Amino acid sequence: KLRGLSLEISRKDLPDLEGEEFYLNDLIEFNIYDRSRNNYGVVINILQFPANNVLVVLYNEKEQLIPIIDDVVLDIKHNEKEIIINPLEGLFNS
């Protein structure tokens, strides 16, 4: 009976986080940079898949997908709203 419906929960009703924990939706609007401070756009959405989660990034007026894996996402700086990546070859289609 619930197939196809959406479930929404108010932020205030989510469990409290500890230490370095965060909710994936907190990453929306974070800027993406590599270690040389080259800008790779801004996070506009997060997709969740069984293998790994994926950042949807608006870059050069196109949506690009960045897997949230250790080889690609090097650091998440919450105070600066930045994600530092290793832009592997072929990751960004120009």
Side-chain angles (χ1 to χ4, degrees):
K1 289 184 177 185
L2 300 178
R3 186 175 295 164
L5 297 177
S6 296
L7 173 67
E8 294 185 28
I9 299 172
S10 174
R11 178 73 183 219
K12 68 179 177 61
D13 293 327
L14 294 173
D16 291 333
L17 300 174
E18 296 180 19
E20 298 284 320
E21 294 180 327
F22 62 91
Y23 290 108
L24 285 175
N25 65 325
D26 292 341
L27 301 178
I28 294 175
E29 297 185 4
F30 274 38
N31 290 298
I32 306 294
Y33 296 98
D34 64 15
R35 287 184 177 164
S36 299
R37 298 297 295 166
N38 295 307
N39 188 297
Y40 287 90
V42 63
V43 178
I44 59 172
N45 198 5
I46 311 281
L47 302 176
Q48 294 180 295
F49 296 107
N52 57 271
N53 298 315
V54 175
L55 302 170
V56 180
V57 175
L58 187 60
Y59 176 67
N60 288 339
E61 299 181 19
K62 293 181 182 178
E63 288 185 4
Q64 302 291 334
L65 303 178
I66 300 176
I68 304 175
I69 58 174
D70 291 340
D71 289 344
V72 177
V73 176
L74 304 176
D75 193 13
I76 299 173
K77 299 180 177 187
H78 293 278
N79 291 338
E80 293 89 356
K81 295 188 76 165
E82 297 177 355
I83 299 173
I84 308 303
I85 65 165
N86 175 22
L88 300 175
E89 186 174 337
L91 188 62
F92 286 87
N93 303 324
S94 297

